[in-house]
Amino acid sequence: MAKRNNLLIFTLTLGAFGIINTEMGVIGILPYIADHFHISVSKAGLLVSLFALTVTISGPTMPLLFSGINRKKAMLFVLGVFVLANIVSIFTTNFAIAIIARVIPAIFHPIYFSAAFTMAANSVSKEEAPKAVSKVFIGVSAGMVLGVPIASFLASTVSFQISMAFFAIVNAIVFIATLVLFPSMPVKERLSYGTQLSVLKKSITWLSIVAVILLNSAVFGVYSYLAEYLKTVTNISGKSISLMLVIFGGASIIGNIVAGKLLTKNAIKLVVSFPFALGAVYIILFLLGKFTLPMAIITLVWGILAGIGTNINQYWITSAAPGAPDFANGLFLSSVNLGTTIGTAVGGLFISEMGTQYVMLVGLLSLILSVVFILLRNYMHSPIRQFSR
């Protein structure tokens, strides 16, 4: 049984890698896409921003619509859509079709992740669930870390189409593995849409959503400009910047593993201490960001915290709505994407108004506000308070 569970979780991790690869890998090949379609790099960037925006919108709705469908069939459907969309991207010469081939899989993206997190959590005991979910997040981090450099390398050495073929092949492998290795997974107790939507009536759900939007804004509002920061403030070469980004990504994988263990031990303590730890990193970054060696050490610590943060976000929302896990995972995906969008926009504003060094302010402001909502949820929904009512 344990062996089968490990195989199931490994396949889910590989699936997460394949889908995030498709989403994030495009970042590494935007100049090649711009050349291929004869457009500006900023216009090519629509392939990234429209994908994220679509996931934000479809996050709560699609898992809800698919909540009664056999999970194996739903996942195969999503993976099939990703494979076909990547194949279309290889052969199209029309940028409008390329955008459509990005937006359509993004609509179904939350269905896969929602099912993957729920299945991973259900494959073990309730106490061990955060550990199982953290393993799926390793695939997410690996997709972000490896997807960008692999896609960039393939595009620069062969062609942009080969990068898209790489995305298609990874998703096709996961499709076959899911088809062969997964048992049929019909939904035994289908929750009505009303039951699932009723979690939105609870204050704990909204306090958790706002906290997660702010936490993700704190991480990605700054991380989105890390390359720019390293270039203009730390003043290091392109190769060194690439190395720093790999350090950050590798550290976030370590963070995923650590988070699974810490959430299992004492989740509330971890969530409350997280904004203070990340805030300290940002203050040190602001003071010592000009120096290469301290910057490398900070990037390592920051990456570990970013990995922990992703797990915290998923736990914080799903623990607020344990009765509707698929819908809760959809809300989590929407919240983190919205947080990334807001954080990146505000971070860009600080940079244009004050300079690159001051991008830290979006992180610190988001963290201060997140503490308010975390403590508010803990105060209003602590077990002792609940018991005394």
Side-chain angles (χ1 to χ4, degrees), residues 52-377:
L53 184 64
T54 306
V55 173
T56 305
I57 296 163
S58 64
T61 50
M62 296 309 286
L64 193 65
L65 290 173
F66 276 69
S67 59
I69 294 172
N70 184 307
R71 287 210 172 100
K72 180 177 179 177
K73 287 179 183 174
M75 291 174 120
L76 287 171
F77 171 73
V78 176
L79 292 164
V81 169
F82 267 79
V83 173
L84 289 172
N86 285 324
I87 291 169
V88 169
S89 300
I90 296 167
F91 296 107
T92 187
T93 53
N94 184 316
F95 187 63
I97 292 172
I99 282 186
I100 293 164
R102 290 282 291 171
V103 169
I104 290 173
I107 293 168
F108 300 105
H109 168 292
I111 297 165
Y112 186 90
F113 278 99
S114 178
F117 294 141
T118 305
M119 283 165 65
N122 289 347
S123 69
V124 292
S125 66
K126 193 181 175 184
E127 293 71 33
E128 293 293 307
K131 273 189 195 173
V133 171
S134 73
K135 287 175 185 171
V136 179
F137 273 117
I138 291 170
V140 175
S141 294
M144 292 170 83
V145 183
L146 303 173
V148 176
I150 291 172
S152 182
F153 172 75
L154 291 171
S156 61
T157 53
V158 193
S159 72
F160 134 76
Q161 285 95 331
I162 293 295
S163 296
M164 302 310 289
F166 167 67
F167 301 152
I169 290 162
V170 173
N171 284 308
I173 290 167
V174 180
F175 181 93
I176 295 161
T178 305
L179 186 67
V180 175
L181 299 173
F182 279 30
S184 178
M185 294 182 178
V187 178
K188 287 167 190 165
E189 292 177 29
R190 188 188 171 179
L191 296 169
S192 69
Y193 294 152
T195 305
Q196 295 185 75
L197 287 168
S198 67
V199 302
L200 294 175
K201 293 177 183 173
K202 297 176 181 174
S203 60
I204 188 171
T205 307
W206 289 104
L207 290 170
S208 305
I209 287 171
V210 176
V212 166
I213 290 170
L214 290 164
L215 288 172
N216 223 52
S217 166
V219 174
F220 284 93
V222 183
Y223 171 67
S224 298
Y225 301 100
L226 176 57
E228 174 66 18
Y229 190 93
L230 292 167
K231 184 182 169 188
T232 56
V233 179
T234 317
N235 211 5
I236 57 176
S237 69
K239 280 185 180 174
S240 299
I241 289 171
S242 298
L243 180 63
M244 289 280 207
L245 291 172
V246 171
I247 288 171
F248 184 96
S252 72
I253 294 176
I254 296 167
N256 291 145
I257 298 163
V258 171
K261 291 175 181 172
L262 294 176
L263 282 168
T264 308
K265 279 184 184 172
N266 192 333
I268 301 295
K269 194 176 177 184
L270 177 67
V271 177
V272 172
S273 58
F274 176 80
F276 296 97
L278 186 59
V281 165
Y282 284 165
I283 291 165
I284 295 166
L285 198 59
F286 182 78
L287 298 172
L288 302 176
K290 291 176 184 173
F291 308 104
T292 309
L293 185 61
M295 191 63 200
I297 297 163
I298 296 160
T299 303
L300 178 72
V301 178
W302 181 14
I304 292 170
L305 285 173
I308 292 171
T310 313
N311 286 261
I312 282 174
N313 289 340
Q314 193 269 347
Y315 168 82
W316 206 234
I317 289 184
T318 52
S319 63
D326 289 313
F327 183 53
N329 279 313
L331 290 173
F332 153 70
L333 291 165
S334 268
S335 303
V336 291
N337 276 280
L338 187 57
T340 300
T341 307
I342 293 168
T344 306
V346 177
L349 206 64
F350 278 122
I351 288 172
S352 61
E353 293 296 320
M354 300 169 75
T356 308
Q357 197 173 357
Y358 293 92
V359 73
M360 296 308 140
L361 290 176
V362 67
L364 291 168
L365 286 171
S366 298
L367 289 169
I368 291 163
L369 289 170
S370 75
V371 170
V372 174
F373 286 92
I374 289 166
L375 295 178
L376 204 55
R377 170 181 150 166

